[in-house]
Amino acid sequence: MMYLIPLLTAFAIVYVLIPELRRAALRHDFVDRPNRRKIHAKPVPLSGGVALYTGVLLAMLAFNRNLPLSLAVALGGTILVMTGLMDDRAKAEGREFPVWPRLLVYLAASSVPVWFGIEIEGISRWNGSGMVMFPGWLAWIATALWVFVMINMINFIDGVDGLAAGIILIASLTLFTAALMTNQDDSALLAIILAGACTAFLLYNFHPAEIFMGDSGAVFLGYTIAVVAIEGALKSATVVSVAVSVLALGVPIMDTAFVMTRRLLENRGLHRADRLHTHHSLMKWGLSQTQTVSFLYLVGGVFSLLAVIVLLLFRS
């Protein structure tokens, strides 16, 4: 019951908000139009990120007693959502939002958790004999780098109906389980709130999607799941905690590694959008959108199961 009510609260807020936000987006022409790089056939509202942001923040502020954690998610999330909405507006108007200003904002937002004491403080020694604590500057770099990478990774995989929200749902439940097993209540609460919000969103976003999360939703989810991992598994990084976090987010990490390698080998710009992602490859091989997303859910589920097994073996 301690976690069920926050989960249902986030679910209810997102579920109720989406129809209203969808109608408003259609009324104001805030939609993602089809083009040769995209696979949807008709304009789709881009306002889903606002619902996710609102649901997570309201539920977190209502139930989370860890004020620094709430402020970190609220401040960093707000910066990213506002930037994402500008990007989504440009997309709706057929324009390209400049890449470098956006990346600089992402980098600035990535440092926000450190301001509130949420940081990767150190790493275990290779021989297991204690921790090596990072100096302040290195903790800042490690934390900001992790958050920045996750923001972009989740944005990268948001290319097929239901994929990004479903992968975050699986990762959230994995990190929730890990937090319960290690008695980290604050991390568990934020993870289950994120899971509730993503579940409600998927009811509207699974193929054929009625609404997209847009860049605003993707960067917010990437930021929040990164903060969950730091507050939980990564705060004092051991080999096991790093393995759990990497496995929980195995699908976006795998996809980004694959895409960046391809772009380097083919001398493409690392930041340029293309159709080299795993979901594009699966669809080129003949899978439908539903089959592609289901397959990647299965891969994410296997990674998550491995994460729990690793944690169980360590605890035993």
Side-chain angles (χ1 to χ4, degrees):
M1 189 60 69
M2 173 182 176
Y3 297 108
L4 180 60
I5 294 176
L7 182 151
L8 292 176
T9 300
F11 178 96
I13 293 169
V14 174
Y15 186 79
V16 169
L17 279 179
I18 285 180
E20 294 300 322
L21 289 168
R22 184 177 184 278
R23 282 191 285 270
L26 289 171
R27 188 164 58 249
H28 294 286
D29 205 27
F30 190 60
V31 297
D32 191 4
R33 291 180 175 79
N35 61 35
R36 65 180 183 177
R37 191 175 59 82
K38 297 173 181 178
I39 57 178
H40 56 283
K42 62 181 182 180
V44 179
L46 282 166
S47 50
V50 177
L52 288 165
Y53 165 80
T54 305
V56 170
L57 248 62
L58 290 181
M60 182 183 66
L61 292 172
F63 297 103
N64 183 35
R65 299 176 185 174
N66 184 334
L67 183 59
L69 178 60
S70 296
L71 291 175
V73 175
L75 180 57
T78 300
I79 293 169
L80 290 166
V81 168
M82 295 303 293
T83 305
L85 286 172
M86 289 190 285
D87 192 357
D88 292 334
R89 169 47 70 184
K91 190 182 302 177
E93 294 174 352
R95 298 183 288 109
E96 286 291 330
F97 193 79
V99 172
W100 292 110
R102 185 176 67 206
L103 291 180
L104 289 174
V105 172
Y106 291 176
L107 187 57
S110 298
S111 69
V112 169
V114 181
W115 306 351
F116 298 97
I118 301 167
E119 58 187 23
I120 300 173
E121 298 172 343
I123 191 166
S124 63
R125 299 179 187 274
W126 289 107
N127 60 9
S129 59
M131 299 287 298
V132 176
M133 302 308 294
F134 292 158
W137 64 269
L138 186 54
W140 183 94
I141 290 174
T143 302
L145 182 61
W146 167 257
V147 177
F148 180 80
V149 167
M150 289 315 308
I151 289 169
N152 285 280
M153 282 185 177
I154 301 306
N155 206 6
F156 284 163
I157 66 167
D158 184 31
V160 185
D161 295 351
L163 180 56
I167 291 301
I168 291 294
L169 171 59
I170 294 168
S172 297
L173 293 174
T174 307
L175 293 174
F176 171 72
T177 303
L180 288 183
M181 293 171 67
T182 52
N183 299 312
Q184 295 171 320
D185 295 338
D186 295 332
S187 178
L189 180 63
L190 182 52
I192 205 65
I193 286 171
L194 196 57
C198 287
T199 303
F201 182 74
L202 277 172
L203 297 179
Y204 297 96
N205 182 242
F206 200 79
H207 186 71
E210 299 177 42
I211 194 169
F212 289 163
M213 68 174 67
D215 276 26
S216 62
V219 296
F220 175 72
L221 291 182
Y223 174 82
T224 307
I225 198 70
V227 172
V228 171
I230 295 170
E231 180 64 19
L234 289 177
K235 200 157 194 175
S236 296
T238 64
V239 173
V240 172
S241 65
V242 171
V244 168
S245 299
V246 169
L247 286 169
L249 293 157
V251 170
I253 290 172
M254 175 190 70
D255 177 72
T256 301
F258 172 75
V259 170
M260 291 303 177
T261 301
R262 286 279 303 274
R263 288 177 182 173
L264 284 170
L265 292 175
E266 298 178 11
N267 293 317
R268 298 170 180 257
L270 294 181
H271 64 282
R272 296 191 179 278
D274 52 37
R275 296 179 66 88
L276 296 178
H277 291 279
T278 308
H279 51 270
H280 291 135
S281 298
L282 292 171
M283 293 182 71
K284 285 179 185 175
W285 295 344
L287 271 64
S288 67
Q289 280 204 58
T290 301
Q291 290 169 334
T292 295
V293 171
S294 298
F295 176 76
L296 291 173
Y297 285 176
L298 178 61
V299 174
V302 171
F303 278 137
S304 293
L305 180 60
L306 288 173
V308 174
I309 291 173
V310 166
L311 194 54
L312 284 170
L313 289 175
F314 174 76
R315 286 172 60 80
S316 65

